[in-house]
């Protein structure tokens, strides 16, 4: 009704339709909404999966001369895929947060099995 030019309700016309770029609420769900809660729950779930991935790397990898734990992508994939089929996405998230390091943009099963993943 806010966009309806034939509406006689002045209360609706005075409210902004959407937040604009630069606004603190731009691109965010309304506070207290179910959408906001689902986003928080998803963020928490992914954080737990990243922690679990780091634990798997620590337990299956080998400590190098520099003291960092490393594992090949192929070995990690075979171990972690029984836990979750989202191993590459979780690796990318872990790298984004500075928890792991590996070369390349994306890892592909088979092609990148020898890529070394290092726990930072």
């Amino acid at each position: 009704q806010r966009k309806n030019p034939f509406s006689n309700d002045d209360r609706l016309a005075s409210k902004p339709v959407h937040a604009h770029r630069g606004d603190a609420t731009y691109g965010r769900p309304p506070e207290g909404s179910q959408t906001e809660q689902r986003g928080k729950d998803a963020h928490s779930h992914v954080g737990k999966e990243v922690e679990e991935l780091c634990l798997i790397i620590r337990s299956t990898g080998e400590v190098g001369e520099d003291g960092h734990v490393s594992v090949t992508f192929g070995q990690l994939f075979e171990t972690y895929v029984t836990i979750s089929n989202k191993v590459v996405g979780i690796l990318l998230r872990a790298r984004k947060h500075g928890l792991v390091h590996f070369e390349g943009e994306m890892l592909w099963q088979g092609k990148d099995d020898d890529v070394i993943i290092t726990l930072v």
Side-chain angles (χ1 to χ4, degrees), residues 4-96:
N4 184 350
F6 303 108
S7 176
N8 290 331
D9 195 346
D10 291 333
R11 293 175 298 143
L12 293 175
S14 64
K15 293 182 183 178
V17 177
H18 297 288
H20 298 286
R21 285 184 188 220
D23 226 358
T25 59
Y26 181 77
R28 303 222 180 251
E31 280 190 45
S33 68
Q34 287 182 341
T35 302
E36 180 189 39
Q37 187 58 47
R38 284 191 293 268
K40 288 179 180 179
D41 292 346
H43 183 76
S44 173
H45 178 74
V46 170
K48 289 175 186 172
E49 285 203 36
V50 168
E51 288 176 23
E52 187 174 8
L53 176 74
C54 291
L55 288 173
I56 297 292
I57 293 172
R58 190 170 285 118
S59 67
T60 60
E62 297 176 8
V63 180
E65 293 176 9
D66 59 358
H68 294 289
V69 178
S70 297
V71 66
T72 63
F73 175 64
Q75 183 182 1
L76 179 63
F77 188 89
E78 290 302 318
T79 304
Y80 195 77
V81 80
T82 59
I83 299 167
S84 173
N85 62 352
K86 301 179 290 278
V87 65
V88 175
I90 299 300
L91 267 172
L92 292 173
R93 179 63 66 104
R95 179 169 68 178
K96 179 180 176 182

Side-chain angles (χ1 to χ4, degrees), residues 92 95 102-107:
L92 292 173
R95 179 169 68 178
F102 56 89
E103 296 295 323
E105 288 288 317
M106 179 65 83
L107 296 173

